[in-house]
Amino acid sequence: MGSNIFGIGQSALNAAQLGIATTGHNIANASTPGYNRQVILQAANEPQNLGGSFIGQGVSVTTIQRQYNAFLGGQVNASQSAKNQADVYYNQISQINNLVADPTSGVTPALQDFFKAFQNLAASPNGTAGAAARQAALSSAQSLAGRVNGLQTRLDQISADVNGQIGTVVGSINSYATELANLNDVIEKAQGSSSSGPNDLLDQRDQLVTELSKLTKVSVVPQGAKYNVFIGNGQPLVLGSIVNQLQVSQSRTDPTRTEVSYVTNGGSVLLPENSFAGGQLGGLFDFRANTLDVAQNGIGRIAIGLATQFNDQQKLGLDLNGQVGGNFFNIAGPVSTPSSLNTSTAAINASITDTTALTTSDYRLQFIGGNYKITRLSDGVSQTTASLPLKFDGINFQLAPPPAAAAPAAGDEFLIRPTAAGGSSLSVAIQDPAKLAAAGPLTTSFPTTNTGSGKISVGVANSQVSTASNSATATIGAATADDSFLGTTLAAPVNLTFASPANTISGFPAGATVSVKVGAVTTNYPPPATVPYTSGATISFSGISFAIANSPAAPANGDTFTLSAALPVAATKLTYNSAGNTLTGFPATANVTVTNGNTSTSYPAGSAIPYTAGSTISYNGISFSVSGSPANGDVFNIGPNTNGSGDNRNAVILSSLQTQNTIGGKTTTFQGGYAQFVSLVGNKAHEVQITSDSETKLLAQNVAAQQSESGVNLDEEAANLMRYQQAYQAAGKLMQIAGTLLDTILAIGR
């Protein structure tokens, strides 16, 4: 019996000793990241049957169990991913928010100073004050361009920094993946040789998963003793002891953009940015796609809109030397990049036709099933056409001319960024203040010898393109030049010829693709283009649009329709004929359009034009109105402005661009567009900050819930230590008693 008591005491002593050691291990690792509290699980030894009674044989420690809850651990990891994504996003967007919202160094004060300078020029276009105003206008333009360039440069730096951070995060993910695979192998071997798990190694592995969840969204699927770890939207990163690493790659359509590839089976697969939700990697991709790209395009849209519309109006004015104005700003057009996987040499020439319709999105053009599919990347809206060109959101998508292939191969893809280069490319094109086209290009007058009360308004130039014809039965309407029009297109007049009975029009510039729109249907004709004639159809090429219509009948065979530069204006003397109530004397080939209210009527060249007081008369790209009651033989003169000095008409129009709705589908001004951009960034920054604060609190709650079960409570461990100490002392006393009993038995034997 003494030996039995001795064995029981020894087992109790061992259990108490393990309890003290385990408690001490908990206390020692109370501050160790990822450590889970351990407890010993005890069970009574199998009793001994003696004389029909079962005598206890003491205790055994069956296992040392770690207090780990996989559900709570998964919640902590999910919160870590969400919090780190929001934190990274907020840190990045704060840089832009601080940059654009500065009331002194932002673009808004530079825009205000720029238009104020042109208002001053309109007030003082001549003399010493005019010279100072011209120089001030140039200086303010250069300051504005510098401010926009500086903002774009900072955004480019942030983009480069994001690329670098993506590379760093990918390297960390790969490092954690390798460590996880190694631990999987070690843990499997350890558990194979032990009845209980290697708790500290399991803690290390779970802590690695937690650290990995800070970098990207993580999901874990146990398989035996190993973990299979999946990231993002389900990409397997670790399968047991096998690692499928990630690698940094260049975008196929944008070499300046870092993306992530998935390495598998000896090859790599480029993954979409939205494949990596959560964590720092998800935050970087989310920030770049939803804020940085929009910011770069937003600044570019304002720069392109301002430069293009200012240039267009400058070209309708006269400078101080009496010359027609040229470009005031330099600005880059859309950036088009083919995918590195394309199998053809085809290229896309994109040009901006309407700056008021521009968005802040990029576009993907794909050649699929013999059709061109153009997708707006911001919302996925797309258009499909069997041929190009196609106009979409103020952009003309056109195949590049040879030596590029005539058509792309199946599956070819292109990225078009219409406004990305706008902010960095904006610069002032002129250095001579005298070349500011502040004056109007034409003059109107009537002599004092007129006997009636008729008056002619100050004329305006409203188009860079003049139209004329020799047809007596058809008219060519006023031509509009969109934002892609180049003056060199009409360096020599374009003469279009009508052929009958073929019923076609030919003579378009070599290399020009011509579009004909009848109703809602647009048909493209590649060069050398001969197009069918439909009365009233809109014909477009090289940024010029016009319509030829029966008036009253179709053109005759050989009739020509001419497009040429509208400026300089030809001298014209109009005479009023009271018998017919008409005006005559228009240029011999000019088709004249009279607009009264909402009704416009075009008259063939050589027609006597019916007079309606106050109606707008347009021809050869200019407009004016005659009012009052002219007398028979009264004349009205229209001619070129031969002296730009003292004339502020175009400067007034240039300065008025400040208050015109010319951005975002004509919904806001340049300053309004910039304010919307600043508001978008500020609101998004506030939204992400709230999300970050919310995720921080949620993470703290999840960590608290986890620690309540798995964390080390030093007060509790101190109590356990005393309990095991007392148990150890009691077990020692039991062994002492067992020893005394044995000594007594041995003494009897002596």
Side-chain angles (χ1 to χ4, degrees):
M1 178 64 74
S3 61
N4 186 46
I5 296 173
F6 190 87
I8 292 173
Q10 185 179 20
S11 69
L13 194 67
N14 288 336
Q17 187 178 31
L18 278 175
I20 292 172
T22 301
T23 302
H25 188 57
N26 287 340
I27 293 171
N29 287 281
S31 300
T32 300
Y35 180 78
N36 293 281
R37 179 170 59 92
Q38 298 178 11
V39 298
I40 62 171
L41 299 182
Q42 300 178 189
N45 288 334
E46 185 177 351
Q48 183 179 7
N49 187 354
L50 292 176
S53 298
F54 289 91
I55 307 300
Q57 299 297 305
V59 68
S60 294
V61 175
T62 58
T63 187
I64 299 176
Q65 185 184 71
R66 68 182 188 131
Q67 300 302 99
Y68 178 74
N69 187 312
F71 174 74
L72 293 177
Q75 284 191 318
V76 169
N77 292 341
S79 297
Q80 287 280 15
S81 288
K83 177 185 180 299
N84 278 270
Q85 177 175 6
D87 286 350
V88 167
Y89 200 143
Y90 180 68
N91 290 338
Q92 296 295 329
I93 198 174
S94 294
Q95 300 179 66
I96 300 179
N97 191 33
N98 295 336
L99 187 65
V100 301
D102 192 319
T104 58
S105 62
V107 172
T108 295
L111 268 172
Q112 292 172 339
D113 290 345
F114 173 71
F115 282 109
K116 183 178 179 181
F118 272 87
Q119 290 165 3
N120 292 337
L121 175 60
S124 304
N126 200 16
T128 303
R134 287 173 180 271
Q135 185 58 59
L138 276 186
S139 298
S140 64
Q142 290 164 349
S143 176
L144 173 60
R147 194 73 57 87
V148 172
N149 295 160
L151 178 56
Q152 183 64 56
T153 298
R154 181 65 186 120
L155 293 177
D156 291 342
Q157 291 171 347
I158 293 174
S159 179
D161 181 59
V162 167
N163 286 340
Q165 290 187 60
I166 291 172
T168 300
V169 172
V170 167
S172 298
I173 290 174
N174 288 335
S175 177
Y176 285 137
T178 301
E179 292 183 55
L180 280 168
N182 292 337
L183 276 173
N184 271 341
D185 197 37
V186 172
I187 289 170
E188 184 179 47
K189 292 176 181 178
Q191 286 203 181
S193 60
S194 173
S195 60
S196 62
N199 293 331
D200 294 332
L201 292 177
L202 294 175
D203 286 346
Q204 291 178 31
R205 185 172 65 179
D206 287 327
Q207 180 62 20
L208 281 176
V209 172
T210 298
E211 293 299 321
L212 184 61
S213 70
K214 296 178 182 179
L215 303 179
T216 187
K217 180 182 176 182
V218 175
S219 57
V220 176
V221 178
Q223 184 178 11
K226 295 182 177 182
Y227 275 177
N228 293 330
V229 180
F230 301 85
I231 62 173
N233 291 336
Q235 289 77 29
L237 182 68
V238 178
L239 296 175
S241 57
I242 300 173
V243 178
N244 296 314
Q245 292 197 329
L246 306 177
Q247 70 178 17
V248 174
S249 303
Q250 285 183 340
S251 167
R252 295 190 182 111
T253 52
D254 185 358
T256 66
R257 193 180 189 90
T258 294
E259 295 188 355
V260 177
S261 294
Y262 180 69
V263 181
T264 179
N265 297 326
S268 63
V269 178
L270 192 64
L271 297 173
E273 292 183 3
N274 58 12
S275 298
F276 298 97
Q280 295 180 22
L281 192 59
L284 291 169
F285 281 135
D286 198 6
F287 161 73
R288 185 169 69 180
N290 296 319
T291 297
L292 183 57
D293 288 350
V294 174
Q296 290 176 313
N297 291 340
I299 291 297
R301 180 175 70 163
I302 293 170
I304 290 173
L306 175 67
T308 303
Q309 293 175 43
F310 217 82
N311 287 347
D312 288 347
Q313 189 58 49
Q314 165 91 351
K315 294 173 185 176
L316 294 177
L318 212 64
D319 65 20
L320 202 57
N321 301 317
Q323 301 297 313
V324 175
N327 281 339
F328 184 83
F329 286 110
N330 296 314
I331 195 72
V335 178
S336 175
T337 313
S339 169
S340 58
L341 298 181
N342 287 2
T343 57
S344 75
T345 60
I348 298 296
N349 280 355
S351 57
I352 296 172
T353 61
D354 184 2
T355 57
T356 66
L358 288 177
T359 70
T360 57
S361 179
D362 297 332
Y363 298 79
R364 180 193 301 115
L365 189 151
Q366 299 166 290
F367 189 65
I368 305 173
N371 291 318
Y372 298 92
K373 181 181 180 182
I374 301 174
T375 304
R376 187 168 56 218
L377 298 182
S378 60
D379 57 12
V381 173
S382 64
Q383 288 192 19
T384 301
T385 179
S387 64
L388 295 179
L390 173 69
K391 292 181 180 179
F392 186 22
D393 288 346
I395 308 152
N396 187 55
F397 297 89
Q398 169 77 58
L399 277 174
D412 279 2
E413 180 178 322
F414 306 83
L415 175 69
I416 294 92
R417 306 192 66 193
T419 59
S424 59
S425 64
L426 181 67
S427 64
V428 180
I430 62 176
Q431 303 300 321
D432 184 359
K435 291 187 177 180
L436 278 172
L442 70 154
T443 61
T444 58
S445 64
F446 57 93
T448 58
T449 55
N450 281 3
T451 58
S453 62
K455 297 181 180 180
I456 186 170
S457 68
V458 174
V460 295
N462 46 31
S463 177
Q464 299 179 56
V465 182
S466 168
T467 57
S469 76
N470 65 357
S471 176
T473 57
T475 59
I476 179 171
T480 59
D482 64 33
D483 293 330
S484 67
F485 171 72
L486 299 176
T488 53
T489 302
L490 298 179
V494 173
N495 294 303
L496 306 179
T497 303
F498 177 79
S500 178
N503 199 44
T504 59
I505 297 175
S506 60
F508 296 95
T513 297
V514 181
S515 299
V516 178
K517 184 177 182 180
V518 180
V521 179
T522 299
T523 306
N524 298 314
Y525 297 89
T530 295
V531 304
Y533 169 72
T534 301
S535 177
T538 300
I539 302 173
S540 304
F541 71 92
S542 303
I544 304 171
S545 296
F546 58 93
I548 299 174
N550 298 348
S551 184
N557 184 50
D559 280 357
T560 60
F561 301 87
T562 302
L563 298 104
S564 59
L567 301 179
V569 175
T572 304
K573 178 185 290 187
L574 304 182
T575 303
Y576 176 72
N577 185 334
S578 61
N581 191 38
T582 59
L583 290 171
T584 58
F586 292 93
T589 59
N591 288 218
V592 180
T593 299
V594 178
T595 303
N596 190 14
N598 295 323
T599 303
S600 294
T601 306
S602 294
Y603 297 90
S607 300
I609 307 302
Y611 171 69
T612 301
S615 60
T616 299
I617 301 172
S618 304
Y619 70 93
N620 288 356
I622 65 172
S623 297
F624 56 90
S625 64
V626 178
S627 59
S629 300
N632 185 54
D634 282 357
V635 296
F636 302 93
N637 299 311
I638 302 100
N641 184 0
T642 57
N643 184 4
S645 176
D647 189 337
N648 70 345
R649 285 177 292 163
N650 206 48
V652 169
I653 299 175
L654 288 170
S655 63
S656 71
L657 291 175
Q658 180 182 21
T659 57
Q660 294 180 21
N661 290 340
T662 52
I663 295 292
K666 295 185 178 181
T667 60
T668 187
T669 63
F670 297 122
Q671 288 172 264
Y674 184 76
Q676 287 180 354
F677 160 67
V678 172
S679 177
L680 181 147
V681 173
N683 290 338
K684 187 64 178 180
H686 183 61
E687 173 193 331
V688 176
Q689 182 182 23
I690 292 174
T691 301
S692 177
D693 293 343
S694 175
E695 293 296 343
T696 298
K697 292 178 181 178
L698 181 60
L699 175 61
Q701 292 173 1
N702 289 336
V703 169
Q706 183 198 46
Q707 289 301 301
S708 68
E709 181 170 335
S710 303
V712 175
N713 185 314
L714 291 176
D715 291 337
E716 181 182 356
E717 297 303 325
N720 287 338
L721 196 60
M722 292 179 64
R723 179 164 62 88
Y724 287 125
Q725 180 186 10
Q726 291 173 352
Y728 190 87
Q729 290 172 343
K733 188 65 176 178
L734 180 61
M735 292 187 69
Q736 182 183 7
I737 293 171
T740 301
L741 291 175
L742 285 173
D743 288 342
T744 301
I745 293 173
L746 292 173
I748 293 173
R750 290 193 295 268

